[in-house]
Amino acid sequence: MDTSILEEFRSIVGRDGLITEPEQLHTYECDGLTNYRVLPLAVLLPDTTEEVQGVVRVCHRERIPFVARGSGTGLSGGALPVRGGIVIGLSRLNRILKVDIPNARVVVEPGVMNLSVTQQVSPRGYFYAPDPSSQQVCSIGGNVAENSGGAHCLKYGFTTTHVLGLEVVLPDGSLVHLGGKTLDRPGYDLAGVFVGSEGTLGIATKIILRIVKRPEVIQTLLAAFNSTNEAGAAVSGIIGAGMLPAAIEMMDNLAIQAAEASVHAGYPNCGGLLLVELDGPAAEVELLMEQVKSICNSCGAWEIRVAQSEAERIAIWKGRKSAFAAVGRISPNYIVQDGVVPRTALPRILSEIERLSAAAGIRVANVFHAGDGNLHPLVLFDRRIPGQEQSATELSFNILELCVKAGGSITGEHGVGEEKKKFMSVMFAEPDLETMQLVRCAFDPEHLSNPEKVFPRPRLCAERQGIYEPHPLEVAGVAEYF
Amino acid sequence: MNNSRVQTEVPTAELGAIVGADHLRPATSADAVDGIQPQWIVEPGSEEELARVLQWANSLGIHVVPRGQGTKLEWGNLPRHAELVLSTLRLNRVVEHAWGDMTATVEAGCLMGEFQKTLSEHGQRLAYDALWPERSTMGGILATNDSGSYRIRFGALRDLIIGITLALPDGTLAKSGGKVVKNVAGYDLPKLATGSLGTLGVITQAIFRLHPLPQAVRSLSFSTPDSTSMNELVLAVQDSKLAYTGLQIRADSHDPPCIDVRFEGTPGGIDAQARQLLSLTAKAQQVESFPDVWNKRQALWTGKEPNLLCKFSVLPSQLGALCAAVFRALEQSRLTPRLVAQGLGLGFLRLEGEDGSDWLAIITRLREEMNSLGGTLGVLHCPLAVKSHIDVWGPVGDSEGLMHRVKNQFDPAAILNPGRFVGGI
Ligand SMILES: Cc1cc2nc3c(=O)[nH]c(=O)nc-3n(C[C@H](O)[C@H](O)[C@H](O)COP(=O)(O)OP(=O)(O)OC[C@H]3O[C@@H](n4cnc5c(N)ncnc54)[C@H](O)[C@@H]3O)c2cc1C
């Protein structure tokens, strides 16, 4: 990169905010999807919104592509640098700016960790509902970009439901405010569009979050079944009974073994483990928990445990939340996949996965958010065995195709990023993708903000032919936007 | 409208060829949009026909007013032009109710009431209460982002919609989202379309996530001495562990403000919660909760002309201040206010006045009050003569330019509801 530009960057973010040494740059060459790597030209670590704006303005002027980065835990290559571009790391923008308990709102900078929000408000009996398993280390900015989910999103909704407003540096360096503290601000729901846009529409520098009051009681049940099919039948029974649990998670035997090896969660060794959490008013939860137990029993559960203390509850969750990393204990390498199917298609898809796995000679551990049909097949392989990585990748892609054929999605929470671009065309027709990219053309016509991600082919953005006619009132000078 | 660049005569032969002559008819004065008289009403019978109508109109610069039942057609600024009304009423099917998955696909012209009836056959619902469900189409409810009392528990439409099909002016039919509750593939166009007042494209289908119908429902109502104690109680309920599905306030110039709380669930759970609620409401007096309290918002639309109907939004902690400000602003006037708001801070205000009322001054005053609270105020109904002097939406802020760019990408020739949305969009 031109040294004068580097100098300019340095003048904006300060000496310690600019990284250009190759050894240091390597830290930023990938995110959680480690088999894709690109070395950025430089990494900038701004401290303030103004610094982010300053950096982005230079990028815009020089047509340098940039990629925002939170904690780099993304699993689809969202924060993977782009060739010839820079990375803007947001870890220094990590202040919780305002906590407004009466209105259940918290304003944060993007580098704040997900769990910090809950920690900040839990003394007042509140929590921040979206709880990705990576919540101790992932940033709110990353959550916003990915529209991250978590086990409790079944009842409480994904990140998008909990983001009320955003301050965003657009790819030309200008600053806009989308949404706000109060609901239904006039105009298009651009905050709704920005959430989940995977860093392609600009950089969020402030986020207004909604927090939720902790329910009166929380009860967590663990049920052991012989197979995921039986456990799946219990899930259908629970939903069919008109309940909306806070979470319904499932693990198969391989995933249980991994969790046991890694965190000793004390799970029963079974073919299908179900974790059901109910929350709400005590009287109601107690009654419904009895119903859940009897549904589990009638579907073949041979062991049912309800956590008797907060410590037991945390232990149950620990096994589930550490499942991805735990798989490292039973396999040298693995791919974390993320697909969604309509919940009723789960049993069929699981047996299909089993069939594909057997045919390929590749083991698949299954951990999933059963309540909303979000599968996380963990495809296990050993890179040292020639051809295995290739077979594992193919298998994981075949699983995605299964999901789409079943009427589902190629990603429920990890995003499209770099990894799944090509699958967008499996899920959507060309006109669908072209239409989505109209939004991109409005935000980032020069394709500078995380370009080449999400869409298989970028749409050329032209200022579209159109006739702007001022409103007759504007012409007459009578309309005032008061 | 005498703008020479705009084709004002609608050449109907081609339109008839797209939809069939039976589905094209001349507009009457009943079809006027804020006093602007359209020429024709076209009713396509399929998404494809609808898209072709749009493409055709776009190529000729004919301005289109997408319309369901027209119940909320006056929401918005005066249209710049309106030659063709595009009715969605023939697209009225519930396409699929995947009750095992708790999702449903519905066409834009389907009435909310019909939709709910179909869902209830399997014990489910769209957990949402819109105005006039027996007359409002799902497309119209989405386009106007109309929301009622369930929002405080189940979220807004933006949180319930999971997929959409949009017809764009260039004839594209584009899908976004999907049939599964959890899905982050691509941009979230369902949210973009929700509340866009038909200015980006015409919604032809939507997919929603559903909720079970409750086993039992109970509402409790309370009368509070003044707006300060009303607000304290609203905040106390929100800060409690109660799992209410509605929290509403009602205020007018005669009676002290009232609060309504709704619980749903098992009878035992409701009893326990009602008892807990009563322990919070010591300062308030419990009053009989009539079954229609949750229709009080809708009831704001009945009464005398002339009147002003506004939608406002403040923080929950400002509801009391808002009520006080409204009543203060009206002290010297002879207007009678009625107000219904949700605990979320969103509400509706009706003012009835007289022919000589200075509506402009009142709107200005209300907006000033709202500005000082950091909230917003939109005008949903006012005398037409007043409407031509205001922007009903109020200021958008620094994202207005971006909104124009979004509009320009989707509808470059500005044929869809021109002038009706924010900032002259
Ligand atoms: C062990 C493990 C478990 C996980 N479990 C879950 C889970 O349960 N649910 C789930 O949803 N995800 C999960 N993830 C994925 C990941 O943690 C989430 O996607 C998370 O939101 C990423 O946050 P991050 O701060 O690491 O973002 P990064 O990886 O740094 O970036 C992610 C994307 O966000 C963009 N971005 C970052 N900051 C900003 C900003 N301020 N403005 C605009 N764009 C920005 C980046 O450009 C990139 O596209 C898991 C990951 C791991 C490693």
Side-chain angles (χ1 to χ4, degrees):
Chain A
M1 185 179 289
D2 195 341
T3 50
S4 67
I5 295 176
L6 282 180
E7 261 325 302
E8 197 173 354
F9 280 147
R10 192 172 285 124
S11 73
I12 296 168
V13 294
R15 196 156 295 280
D16 68 342
L18 177 71
I19 298 172
T20 51
E21 293 301 318
E23 312 82 82
Q24 282 177 292
L25 288 179
H26 278 297
T27 312
Y28 297 89
E29 70 185 353
C30 67
D31 62 2
L33 183 76
T34 52
N35 52 335
Y36 291 76
R37 288 168 198 265
V38 172
L39 207 62
L41 293 182
V43 174
L44 285 92
L45 302 172
D47 258 317
T48 61
T49 299
E50 292 70 31
E51 288 184 13
V52 175
Q53 276 187 281
V55 171
V56 172
R57 276 197 203 103
V58 174
C59 289
H60 186 251
R61 190 189 71 212
E62 302 292 333
R63 297 291 185 264
I64 300 169
F66 57 88
V67 178
R69 183 183 175 99
S71 305
T73 67
L75 293 170
S76 55
L80 176 76
V82 294
R83 229 164 276 288
I86 63 158
V87 166
I88 303 180
L90 295 150
S91 52
R92 291 183 179 177
L93 282 144
N94 61 357
R95 287 151 284 223
I96 294 180
L97 300 172
K98 188 166 184 202
V99 178
D100 176 359
I101 295 289
N103 293 304
R105 279 144 173 82
V106 175
V107 185
V108 301
E109 291 184 330
V112 168
M113 295 302 141
N114 173 296
L115 191 59
S116 310
V117 181
T118 289
Q119 283 167 344
Q120 180 80 29
V121 298
S122 61
R124 306 290 300 271
Y126 285 79
F127 68 111
Y128 177 59
D131 58 340
S133 304
S134 51
Q135 69 188 131
Q136 300 193 357
V137 288
C138 65
S139 72
I140 294 291
N143 293 174
V144 165
E146 302 289 1
N147 187 15
S148 297
H152 292 86
C153 293
L154 175 63
K155 176 166 179 177
Y156 291 99
F158 312 102
T159 298
T160 184
T161 297
H162 301 274
V163 172
L164 295 172
L166 293 161
E167 176 187 88
V168 172
V169 175
L170 292 180
D172 65 1
S174 60
L175 196 68
V176 292
H177 295 82
L178 313 178
K181 266 189 218 172
T182 55
L183 302 176
D184 289 1
R185 305 206 61 100
Y188 299 125
D189 182 6
L190 297 183
V193 179
F194 190 91
V195 177
S197 62
E198 304 193 28
T200 62
L201 301 180
I203 299 184
T205 47
K206 282 193 189 78
I207 302 127
I208 306 174
L209 300 173
R210 202 169 66 87
I211 49 171
V212 181
K213 185 76 184 182
R214 210 165 267 293
E216 189 180 5
V217 296
I218 307 176
Q219 280 196 13
T220 310
L221 165 145
L222 203 62
F225 298 84
N226 281 332
S227 67
T228 49
N229 258 347
E230 287 179 0
V235 175
S236 292
I238 292 166
I239 303 265
M243 284 183 242
L244 180 60
I248 311 183
E249 301 284 306
M250 206 194 289
M251 291 165 84
D252 71 1
N253 187 260
L254 207 48
I256 296 167
Q257 284 179 32
E260 281 305 303
S262 134
V263 299
H264 314 291
Y267 289 162
N269 187 3
C270 62
L273 185 71
L274 206 59
L275 200 161
V276 181
E277 190 158 283
L278 296 180
D279 68 9
E284 185 143 325
V285 169
E286 265 148 40
L287 192 86
L288 295 179
M289 196 45 109
E290 286 312 309
Q291 226 177 320
V292 170
K293 281 187 203 162
S294 77
I295 292 170
C296 287
N297 276 326
S298 67
C299 292
W302 49 263
E303 184 177 337
I304 292 179
R305 279 188 229 157
V306 177
Q308 297 302 320
S309 65
E310 185 61 13
E312 274 185 47
R313 196 178 82 82
I314 289 170
I316 289 181
W317 275 110
K318 193 169 175 202
R320 165 63 188 88
K321 292 211 170 181
S322 60
F324 292 177
V327 165
R329 294 290 183 110
I330 58 166
S331 173
N333 309 101
Y334 60 95
I335 298 168
V336 180
Q337 203 35 284
D338 169 40
V340 191
V341 294
R343 204 180 37 72
T344 48
L346 270 179
R348 183 164 56 82
I349 298 297
L350 286 175
S351 23
E352 283 283 299
I353 293 178
E354 210 175 300
R355 195 180 54 76
L356 290 175
S357 152
I362 301 270
R363 291 185 301 164
V364 178
N366 281 298
V367 182
F368 42 94
H369 307 297
D372 41 31
N374 186 191
L375 306 161
H376 289 312
L378 301 158
V379 183
L380 314 184
F381 66 98
D382 185 344
R383 195 166 276 145
R384 292 163 307 188
I385 301 174
Q388 264 219 342
E389 180 163 11
Q390 175 72 17
S391 315
T393 308
E394 275 167 24
L395 174 59
S396 98
F397 288 163
N398 289 340
I399 293 175
L400 288 186
E401 282 181 352
L402 278 180
C403 292
V404 175
K405 279 203 195 111
S409 170
I410 57 171
T411 170
E413 53 184 18
H414 295 169
V416 177
E418 177 65 27
E419 187 199 21
K420 294 187 180 174
K421 292 196 298 205
K422 59 175 189 270
F423 286 94
M424 286 294 274
S425 317
V426 178
M427 190 169 160
F428 293 106
E430 199 54 31
D432 306 338
L433 296 174
E434 290 278 302
T435 302
M436 287 181 198
Q437 291 190 78
L438 293 173
V439 173
R440 164 130 220 190
C441 291
F443 276 76
D444 182 19
E446 283 93 13
H447 291 246
L448 295 173
S449 191
N450 212 2
E452 296 163 31
K453 306 281 175 70
V454 184
F455 297 101
R457 277 167 302 282
R459 176 179 184 131
L460 284 180
C461 301
E463 174 75 6
R464 301 193 76 199
Q465 278 294 315
I467 349 162
Y468 175 72
E469 292 172 68
H471 198 280
L473 299 175
E474 291 167 61
V475 177
V478 286
E480 288 173 80
Y481 299 132
F482 59 90
Chain B
M1 298 264 109
N2 52 0
N3 188 321
S4 57
R5 278 187 297 160
V6 179
Q7 176 136 13
T8 50
E9 277 307 309
V10 176
T12 52
E14 294 173 34
L15 254 188
I18 298 173
V19 296
D22 291 351
H23 302 296
L24 180 66
R25 59 172 195 276
T28 70
S29 60
D31 299 304
V33 185
D34 279 343
I36 308 286
Q37 179 61 52
Q39 296 165 28
W40 293 89
I41 316 289
V42 60
E43 278 192 352
S46 66
E47 290 185 319
E48 291 72 24
E49 279 183 20
L50 187 149
R52 279 170 59 208
V53 169
L54 273 184
Q55 185 181 29
W56 170 87
N58 193 46
S59 68
L60 297 174
I62 289 171
H63 301 95
V64 176
V65 179
R67 187 176 84 182
Q69 285 277 7
T71 56
K72 296 175 281 291
L73 211 55
E74 67 169 339
W75 295 15
N77 286 320
L78 294 185
R80 269 199 294 268
H81 311 280
E83 289 94 47
L84 183 66
V85 171
L86 198 173
S87 161
T88 59
L89 290 185
R90 287 175 69 214
L91 300 175
N92 57 7
R93 292 171 309 145
V94 177
V95 179
E96 184 188 13
H97 178 195
W99 51 271
D101 298 317
M102 301 194 80
T103 61
T105 307
V106 64
E107 289 186 322
C110 181
L111 299 178
M112 171 115 173
E114 294 293 319
F115 186 39
Q116 296 283 30
K117 208 169 90 198
T118 307
L119 303 176
S120 69
E121 285 165 18
H122 287 281
Q124 295 178 358
R125 61 175 164 171
L126 178 67
Y128 209 72
D129 50 340
L131 292 168
W132 315 295
E134 70 295 346
R135 289 192 281 134
S136 295
T137 64
M138 292 311 300
I141 293 169
L142 277 168
T144 52
N145 187 29
D146 176 36
S147 72
S149 64
Y150 281 108
R151 179 165 174 177
I152 201 162
R153 174 60 44 194
F154 299 101
L157 278 174
R158 75 192 289 284
D159 303 306
L160 297 170
I161 186 169
I162 56 175
I164 204 163
T165 310
L166 275 178
L168 302 193
D170 67 2
T172 301
L173 268 175
K175 285 188 192 320
S176 156
K179 285 187 183 175
V180 282
V181 170
K182 202 168 182 183
N183 172 17
V184 295
Y187 295 149
D188 198 336
L189 299 192
K191 289 197 177 57
L192 182 62
T194 302
S196 66
L197 206 78
T199 58
L200 297 176
V202 177
I203 299 167
T204 58
Q205 271 194 14
I207 310 176
F208 292 97
R209 71 173 293 192
L210 307 176
H211 286 84
L213 281 168
Q215 280 184 33
V217 184
R218 186 181 327 159
S219 299
L220 292 93
S221 298
F222 302 89
S223 163
T224 57
D226 51 41
S227 50
T228 310
S229 43
M230 175 276 288
N231 208 159
E232 280 168 7
L233 182 52
V234 165
L235 293 183
V237 173
Q238 300 208 43
D239 191 48
S240 74
K241 292 176 183 293
L242 294 169
Y244 49 86
T245 65
L247 175 59
Q248 174 177 269
I249 66 161
R250 292 177 275 133
D252 60 30
S253 40
H254 329 292
D255 301 314
C258 282
I259 297 186
D260 308 303
V261 185
R262 180 177 52 219
F263 294 113
E264 298 182 343
T266 60
I270 292 178
D271 280 346
Q273 295 204 74
R275 276 195 302 277
Q276 283 177 34
L277 176 66
L278 291 174
S279 71
L280 285 177
T281 52
K283 276 203 222 154
Q285 189 193 345
Q286 189 175 3
V287 294
E288 190 176 351
S289 188
F290 296 99
D292 71 340
V293 287
W294 302 103
N295 284 330
K296 290 290 181 193
R297 176 174 81 105
Q298 184 172 303
L300 291 178
W301 270 264
T302 35
K304 285 189 312 205
E305 291 286 341
N307 64 68
L308 176 71
L309 230 157
C310 302
K311 172 177 173 175
F312 62 83
S313 179
V314 292
L315 288 171
S317 64
Q318 296 170 326
L319 280 167
L322 172 104
C323 289
V326 167
F327 294 129
R328 195 169 55 233
L330 300 176
E331 240 161 35
Q332 310 298 340
S333 76
R334 298 171 59 184
L335 300 170
T336 50
R338 274 192 284 155
L339 171 160
V340 177
Q342 309 306 322
L344 290 166
L346 273 183
F348 297 82
L349 168 69
R350 180 189 179 96
L351 302 178
E352 284 181 6
E354 298 160 353
D355 284 339
S357 301
D358 188 352
W359 296 107
L360 269 182
I362 293 158
I363 295 170
T364 310
R365 178 73 199 276
L366 288 173
R367 284 220 164 125
E368 279 165 10
E369 295 284 358
M370 206 58 71
N371 269 349
S372 65
L373 293 173
T376 56
L377 182 106
V379 176
L380 301 178
H381 172 83
C382 64
L384 209 49
V386 177
K387 201 168 186 180
S388 56
H389 290 88
I390 60 168
D391 175 357
V392 301
W393 303 97
V396 176
D398 56 16
S399 60
E400 186 178 322
L402 184 57
M403 290 189 191
H404 276 283
R405 295 204 288 282
V406 171
K407 165 73 174 181
N408 179 261
Q409 290 292 331
F410 280 80
D411 180 19
I415 63 155
L416 287 169
N417 273 341
R420 304 215 70 193
F421 202 45
V422 299
I425 286 176

